[in-house]
Amino acid sequence: MKLLRYGPVGNEKPGCLDDQGRVRDLSGKVSDITAESLTPERLKILRGIDVASLPLVENPGRIGTPYSGLGKFICVGLNYSDHAAETGAEVPKEPILFNKWSRPSGANDAVVIPKGSVKTDWEVELGVVIGTKARYVSLADALKYVAGYCVVNDVSEREYQIERGGTWDKGKGCDTFGPVGPWLVTADEVADPQSLAMWLDINGKRFQDGSTKTMIFDVAYLIHYISQFTTLYPGDLISTGTPPGVGLGQKPPLYLKAGDVMRLGIQGLGEQEQSVHAWDAALLD
């Protein structure tokens, strides 16, 4: 099942996609798609709905985040061997973890360059959404805790991340730096999360063209590993790293500027498109 939310910020309605890729209105069945909706019991009820009988939404307009109440936004750095190579970094012996502070935005919402930034970068990533409380889970059972998968653009400010000292978080958590969606694809529809093609274009030019098969630490291992340090709850999101082709890895490096358009997607999980804007506080509220 492909779950989504559509409508203006703060007034999104729940929906889903039918077999023809059209949006259907779920508001007659649920008031919203929330983190609590992602538990196995709630997803079983949603999957039992006859999608074809739901009202068709002819013009859904803005597509918001796939669910409300996103909890922890945990990200994994340098998790693709070919991406580590392009940045000149050593392959990590254990997953590199950091957090996004930003409020997640819809798949096609504007991305705003922070004040004074000259090194804002792009990263297409596979998002893994937790559906069952996970604490010290075994590697063998780890995928049982997944509610579904989605596309994430881990927008990053490289100067803040690398050159300003401390942790990576301040280069990752700027406002608008976390587009999520357009929808959440439930885990039963993703046969193998380690064989998904992924791509990203800037102004129509392909920069990232990779696959989740080159992950250093796969999805199951990441859930197992992270659950050793913190309890994961329904609605927590793990963004699992990016393949090569980021702006930092270009020769010379290339970064986003106002007017650029990012398009990105992952096989079976949908596509995003964001326009890049100079700093404008009005775009954040």
Side-chain angles (χ1 to χ4, degrees), residues 202-246:
I202 304 294
N203 302 327
K205 179 180 178 180
R206 180 71 36 103
F207 279 88
Q208 293 190 271
D209 191 2
S211 169
T212 56
K213 67 183 179 183
T214 66
M215 278 187 187
I216 298 165
F217 305 105
D218 64 17
V219 171
Y221 186 82
L222 291 173
I223 296 169
H224 157 72
Y225 181 85
I226 295 169
S227 76
Q228 309 305 305
F229 303 98
T230 185
T231 301
L232 296 169
Y233 292 94
D236 286 352
L237 173 62
I238 303 171
S239 197
T240 56
T242 197
V246 300

Side-chain angles (χ1 to χ4, degrees), residues 41-69:
E41 298 78 16
R42 298 285 185 88
L43 284 180
K44 183 177 180 181
I45 293 171
L46 289 175
R47 284 196 292 266
I49 295 171
D50 179 11
V51 172
S53 69
L54 297 173
L56 183 65
V57 182
E58 297 287 356
N59 296 296
R62 173 183 174 271
I63 301 296
T65 57
Y67 61 98
S68 64

Side-chain angles (χ1 to χ4, degrees), residues 31-284:
S31 60
D32 193 8
I33 299 168
T34 66
E36 291 73 24
S37 304
L38 306 178
T39 63
E41 298 78 16
R42 298 285 185 88
L43 284 180
K44 183 177 180 181
I45 293 171
L46 289 175
R47 284 196 292 266
I49 295 171
D50 179 11
V51 172
S53 69
L54 297 173
L56 183 65
V57 182
E58 297 287 356
N59 296 296
R62 173 183 174 271
I63 301 296
T65 57
Y67 61 98
S68 64
L70 187 148
K72 294 186 284 292
F73 199 159
I74 302 171
C75 300
V76 185
L78 294 174
N79 193 35
Y80 282 70
S81 55
D82 36 11
H83 173 52
E86 78 168 340
T87 63
E90 292 185 10
V91 172
K93 295 180 175 61
E94 294 191 38
I96 296 171
L97 304 180
F98 59 91
N99 296 295
K100 271 195 176 293
W101 302 329
S102 52
R103 181 179 62 189
S105 51
N108 305 319
D109 290 348
V111 167
V112 180
I113 297 176
K115 282 185 177 181
S117 166
V118 294
K119 295 184 178 180
T120 297
D121 203 349
W122 58 83
E123 299 186 51
V124 58
E125 303 201 0
L126 173 66
V128 179
V129 181
I130 299 299
T132 301
K133 185 171 79 171
R135 179 184 295 145
Y136 296 113
V137 304
S138 70
L139 182 60
D141 289 338
L143 292 182
K144 296 177 182 178
Y145 294 81
V146 177
Y149 301 91
C150 60
V151 182
V152 174
N153 189 353
D154 177 20
V155 185
S156 308
E157 211 299 340
R158 301 302 189 186
E159 181 188 8
Y160 301 175
Q161 175 190 354
I162 300 169
E163 303 172 35
R164 298 287 294 272
T167 67
W168 288 8
D169 299 62
K170 61 178 172 282
K172 298 286 190 170
C174 303
D175 293 326
T176 74
F177 275 22
V180 176
W183 39 76
L184 180 148
V185 180
T186 54
D188 57 300
E189 293 195 7
V190 180
D192 182 4
Q194 302 308 145
S195 63
L196 302 176
M198 52 204 311
W199 56 271
L200 182 143
D201 295 348
I202 304 294
N203 302 327
K205 179 180 178 180
R206 180 71 36 103
F207 279 88
Q208 293 190 271
D209 191 2
S211 169
T212 56
K213 67 183 179 183
T214 66
M215 278 187 187
I216 298 165
F217 305 105
D218 64 17
V219 171
Y221 186 82
L222 291 173
I223 296 169
H224 157 72
Y225 181 85
I226 295 169
S227 76
Q228 309 305 305
F229 303 98
T230 185
T231 301
L232 296 169
Y233 292 94
D236 286 352
L237 173 62
I238 303 171
S239 197
T240 56
T242 197
V246 300
L248 176 65
Q250 305 304 307
K251 301 187 185 305
L254 177 68
Y255 296 109
L256 294 166
K257 62 184 184 303
D260 286 344
V261 175
M262 294 182 280
R263 292 191 66 246
L264 57 147
I266 298 178
Q267 179 184 353
L269 303 185
E271 299 182 2
Q272 300 185 355
E273 181 175 312
Q274 298 107 25
S275 58
V276 179
H277 294 256
W279 170 258
D280 183 349
L283 294 172
L284 307 180

